[in-house]
Amino acid sequence: MGSFLLTAFLFLAAGCLAVPIASALGLGSVLGYLIAGIALGPVLLSLGVDVVGLQHFAEFGVVMMLFLVGLELEPKMLWAMRSRLLGLGGLQVAGTTALIMGGAILLGQPWNFALAIGLVLALSSTAIVLQTLNEKGLMQSDGGQSSFSVLLFQDIAVIPMLALIPLLAIPDMADLAHGGDISHAVEASHTAVAHADPHAAPHADDHGNDHGPNLNLTENLPGWGVALVTLAAIGLVVAIGSVLTRPLFGFIARAGLRELFTATALMMVIGIALLMTLVGLSPALGTFLAGVVLANSEYRHELESDIDPFRGLLLGLFFMTVGALIDFNLLFSQFGTIIGLTLAVIAVKSLVLLALAIVFRLRGSDRWLMSLGLAQAGEFGFVLLSFTVANNVLPQGLADQLLLVVALSMLLTPGLFIFYDRIIAPRFANDQARDPDEIAPDGKIIIAGHGRFGGTINRILRGAGYKTTVLDHSSAQLDMLRAYGVKVFYGDASRPDMLHAAGIHEAKMLIIAIDDEHQATEMARHVTQNHPHVHIVARAVNRHHVYHLYAAGCRDIIRDTFDSSTRAGRTAFEALGMHPHEAEMRIQDFIERDRSNLVEMAQLYDPDIPAHENEPYVARAKELNQAQEAEIRGDARRFTNHTDRGWNPPTDKDAKVLKDQNTVPEGS
């Protein structure tokens, strides 16, 4: 137990120290994890920690990543991006794979080795590139959008790669290995097997292959049986996502326990991964399909926010194990070769991307942004290298060389972006100056809460053509709204990670319509501090809640009963015999005075002191109340001067008709 706690502490401490420093230096979180792992390597070796076993456990983070990628792939978005997604992304993967494969064959590698190498190095780093583009404000440029399309296609392409790579396996790689280091690695592997104890308990080998109980149900089936079982498993995944998920999560949501929802989400992902393993398929394939099926589910954002922390921690652990396993003896012994291969990979990928940028008519610095930004190998390269070794596609020695190439290319990426910023972008600054594009006032509006208040706002906005993302945490409310065809997502909008999953970092407006006063205030405070570009329209449940929201930084505050109360007051005036014009004038005057007083009182209000104990607040409130009553009495003639002297007060019958006309159905 002590050694486990020590290992966990070391990994967490290294990550917490290295990642913030790397991010502050512009290196990104992935490189931070790699550096942390490099620093931990000697310590873990001296403690006898099974880093390889930890790495295979952490690879489940990739399974979760692909589930989240599937959740983002809404059919409408894919259709809108089809040209660049399939054309630009597809040609980049195919072209880079072909060129690197050809180069590997010229260097004496067998075709299957060469193909596997091409697939591994064709991918770029989604984590590094997207983070850098967002930090530099380049995501909305043509180069940024094209880069995103390529990265999205690469993430999708990992699925067929995981299915293809095992087909490249050769039983006896020692006979086909090229190069002394590769032969040595294979011979060492054979020697280890020869000296193994035949009576030892089943265990996992150095590549993480489990030699325990057989979990492949298709191993002894004929070809047609394997095909049927595989199709049935895929059909079951689709059925789970499209049919069973809604009642399952609806049932769980009624318990009102957030941790139970998280446990259910993890259970679903792990269960689907296990199902894929039982039929001999990649676990990532199953979770990816489940994510695609759930992309339009109302539980999509909640699933994303619940799974994402586990995905991030496991991927961080995976990258640290990669850093800890880097063979520096190999790097120093073949320094020239490794550096040469790294620069060659960057050059080949840059040329392919530059050619495609010209074909797809990217202009100026945008084509260089995409070409240089995506020139590195990616984090999925680590996963695929581990996968190739585990499936006897590449020998360990060659995989170690390629691992160094992937890691070094990622370490060089910040330098490529610096080169773009200081050399490329200034040269094209004048060429790209033009009038701003006309921006359509579309969506990016998040509504937190879909009760009577939030629901009315949603109908108004959508009726005017605006797109909204609605979050609500009531399962019963979701069932009711679904019957009327209203599209909402299940989720607790008071959680920062939930807001992030809903796109708060790109949103233009947040409408806070939830009932809970404390949660609404904390949500307003979080967004004003962390996303100041978002305009907040907040619902206040009472006057003191207005002051709390004001102190939290919100300036557009609506009291949920104020407008209806003033309407009721106007109707009461009319029923008492007052002319409608005079009633309206009195109500408008009351509203203007009240709003003016509200702003003044909000500045005196202290959330940390009860209102009745705040002496300046109480004194000013008394003064304003007395002044308002005196002004209203003194202005009575001003209102009556506009009345029609020939008008008669309404009778009881007229009052009843007026009441009926001003009554609306409950819940509208």
Side-chain angles (χ1 to χ4, degrees), residues 112-421:
N112 60 317
F113 282 24
L115 177 55
I117 294 170
L119 294 174
V120 168
L121 298 179
L123 304 178
S124 303
S125 175
T126 301
I128 294 177
V129 175
L130 290 187
Q131 178 177 332
T132 305
L133 290 176
N134 284 319
E135 289 175 353
K136 296 181 178 295
L138 297 172
M139 195 63 204
Q140 299 305 319
S141 65
D142 287 343
Q145 289 295 300
S146 298
S147 299
F148 176 75
S149 298
V150 173
L151 291 170
L152 180 57
F153 183 87
Q154 290 178 356
D155 289 342
I156 300 173
V158 171
I159 299 300
M161 288 182 185
L162 291 172
L164 174 63
I165 284 175
L167 302 179
L168 303 177
I170 293 180
D172 190 4
M173 287 190 298
D175 296 338
L176 294 177
H178 292 256
D181 55 307
I182 298 175
S183 300
H184 178 74
V186 176
E187 290 171 4
S189 175
H190 288 173
T191 302
V193 173
H195 290 83
D197 183 0
H199 302 291
H203 63 284
D205 63 19
D206 290 337
H207 304 315
N209 296 320
D210 191 359
H211 298 295
N214 181 22
L215 295 179
N216 191 342
L217 301 180
T218 63
E219 185 174 5
N220 297 320
L221 294 178
W224 60 269
V226 173
L228 287 178
V229 172
T230 301
L231 291 175
I234 294 175
L236 182 57
V237 170
V238 174
I240 291 173
S242 59
V243 179
L244 298 180
T245 303
R246 179 174 291 173
L248 173 62
F249 284 112
F251 172 75
I252 296 298
R254 292 186 184 93
L257 298 175
R258 181 180 300 171
E259 64 273 15
L260 192 59
F261 198 99
T262 302
T264 306
L266 288 173
M267 179 194 70
M268 185 184 72
V269 174
I270 294 173
I272 291 173
L274 176 61
L275 175 63
M276 293 293 102
T277 302
L278 291 175
V279 298
L281 295 177
S282 166
L285 173 61
T287 53
F288 174 79
L289 290 176
V292 173
V293 173
L294 290 169
N296 287 319
S297 168
E298 62 268 27
Y299 295 100
R300 164 190 160 194
H301 293 301
E302 181 75 9
L303 286 168
E304 183 177 354
S305 63
D306 285 335
I307 294 295
D308 191 64
F310 297 95
R311 187 270 313 172
L313 285 173
L314 288 175
L315 280 180
L317 176 61
F318 175 76
F319 294 139
M320 282 193 281
T321 60
V322 169
L325 291 173
I326 289 179
D327 189 346
F328 284 96
N329 292 327
L330 176 62
L331 174 61
F332 295 135
S333 65
Q334 302 184 26
F335 186 79
T337 301
I338 299 299
I339 294 297
L341 289 175
T342 302
L343 296 178
V345 168
I346 292 176
V348 168
K349 297 187 73 172
S350 295
L351 290 174
V352 170
L353 288 162
L354 185 60
L356 291 174
I358 295 173
V359 171
F360 282 81
R361 299 181 180 179
L362 291 182
R363 300 180 181 275
S365 62
D366 285 319
R367 64 176 58 167
W368 290 101
L369 174 62
M370 184 183 73
S371 303
L372 295 175
L374 300 179
Q376 78 292 125
E379 53 269 11
F380 273 121
F382 298 131
V383 179
L384 293 179
L385 283 173
S386 177
F387 193 65
T388 57
V389 173
N391 286 274
N392 297 320
V393 176
L394 292 180
Q396 186 67 54
L398 180 57
D400 289 340
Q401 290 178 321
L402 294 175
L403 187 146
L404 288 173
V405 171
V406 173
L408 288 176
S409 70
M410 294 173 69
L411 287 170
L412 292 175
T413 299
L416 295 177
F417 275 105
I418 293 173
F419 178 77
Y420 168 82
D421 288 335

Side-chain angles (χ1 to χ4, degrees), residues 58-71:
E59 283 177 5
F60 196 74
V62 179
V63 173
M64 293 183 173
M65 174 184 280
L66 287 171
F67 176 73
L68 296 179
V69 169
L71 282 178

Side-chain angles (χ1 to χ4, degrees), residues 30-54:
V30 175
L31 294 183
Y33 285 123
L34 287 174
I35 294 170
I38 292 172
L40 271 181
V43 178
L44 298 175
L45 181 63
S46 64
L47 294 175
V49 176
D50 182 11
V51 181
V52 175
L54 280 175

Side-chain angles (χ1 to χ4, degrees), residues 300-586:
R300 164 190 160 194
H301 293 301
E302 181 75 9
L303 286 168
E304 183 177 354
S305 63
D306 285 335
I307 294 295
D308 191 64
F310 297 95
R311 187 270 313 172
L313 285 173
L314 288 175
L315 280 180
L317 176 61
F318 175 76
F319 294 139
M320 282 193 281
T321 60
V322 169
L325 291 173
I326 289 179
D327 189 346
F328 284 96
N329 292 327
L330 176 62
L331 174 61
F332 295 135
S333 65
Q334 302 184 26
F335 186 79
T337 301
I338 299 299
I339 294 297
L341 289 175
T342 302
L343 296 178
V345 168
I346 292 176
V348 168
K349 297 187 73 172
S350 295
L351 290 174
V352 170
L353 288 162
L354 185 60
L356 291 174
I358 295 173
V359 171
F360 282 81
R361 299 181 180 179
L362 291 182
R363 300 180 181 275
S365 62
D366 285 319
R367 64 176 58 167
W368 290 101
L369 174 62
M370 184 183 73
S371 303
L372 295 175
L374 300 179
Q376 78 292 125
E379 53 269 11
F380 273 121
F382 298 131
V383 179
L384 293 179
L385 283 173
S386 177
F387 193 65
T388 57
V389 173
N391 286 274
N392 297 320
V393 176
L394 292 180
Q396 186 67 54
L398 180 57
D400 289 340
Q401 290 178 321
L402 294 175
L403 187 146
L404 288 173
V405 171
V406 173
L408 288 176
S409 70
M410 294 173 69
L411 287 170
L412 292 175
T413 299
L416 295 177
F417 275 105
I418 293 173
F419 178 77
Y420 168 82
D421 288 335
R422 298 184 179 179
I423 306 298
I424 301 297
R427 297 185 60 183
F428 290 94
N430 295 330
D431 296 339
Q432 290 190 283
R434 62 176 186 178
D435 295 334
D437 295 332
E438 182 178 353
I439 301 175
D442 75 325
K444 297 190 178 179
I445 301 172
I446 300 175
I447 301 178
H450 198 282
R452 289 181 294 175
F453 189 88
T456 300
I457 298 174
N458 188 36
R459 292 202 305 272
I460 292 172
L461 292 175
R462 296 185 70 87
Y466 292 92
K467 298 179 181 178
T468 60
T469 299
V470 181
L471 303 174
D472 197 275
H473 202 244
S474 170
S475 178
Q477 177 79 343
L478 289 180
D479 293 337
M480 184 272 291
L481 293 172
R482 193 181 302 118
Y484 291 97
V486 178
K487 185 176 182 181
V488 295
F489 293 99
Y490 177 87
D492 183 359
S494 65
R495 294 167 51 183
D497 57 342
M498 191 70 216
L499 286 173
H500 180 78
I504 190 65
H505 53 290
E506 296 180 350
K508 296 178 181 178
M509 177 179 292
L510 169 66
I511 299 174
I512 303 177
I514 60 178
D515 296 324
D516 190 286
E517 179 179 345
H518 175 72
Q519 288 185 348
T521 304
E522 291 304 312
M523 191 188 310
R525 178 176 290 108
H526 170 77
V527 175
T528 53
Q529 292 177 353
N530 296 280
H531 307 282
H533 66 283
V534 178
H535 182 85
I536 302 175
V537 178
R539 169 195 188 185
V541 299
N542 53 46
R543 195 178 191 86
H544 286 172
H545 190 202
V546 173
Y547 302 148
H548 284 281
L549 290 169
Y550 190 92
C554 184
R555 293 296 180 268
D556 201 343
I557 307 169
I558 309 298
R559 283 171 283 175
D560 58 357
T561 59
F562 184 75
D563 289 338
S564 57
S565 299
T566 55
R567 284 182 58 195
R570 184 190 64 191
T571 302
F573 279 150
E574 295 176 5
L576 291 170
M578 188 177 293
H579 190 282
H581 179 74
E582 180 180 350
E584 179 64 22
M585 291 288 289
R586 285 182 179 274

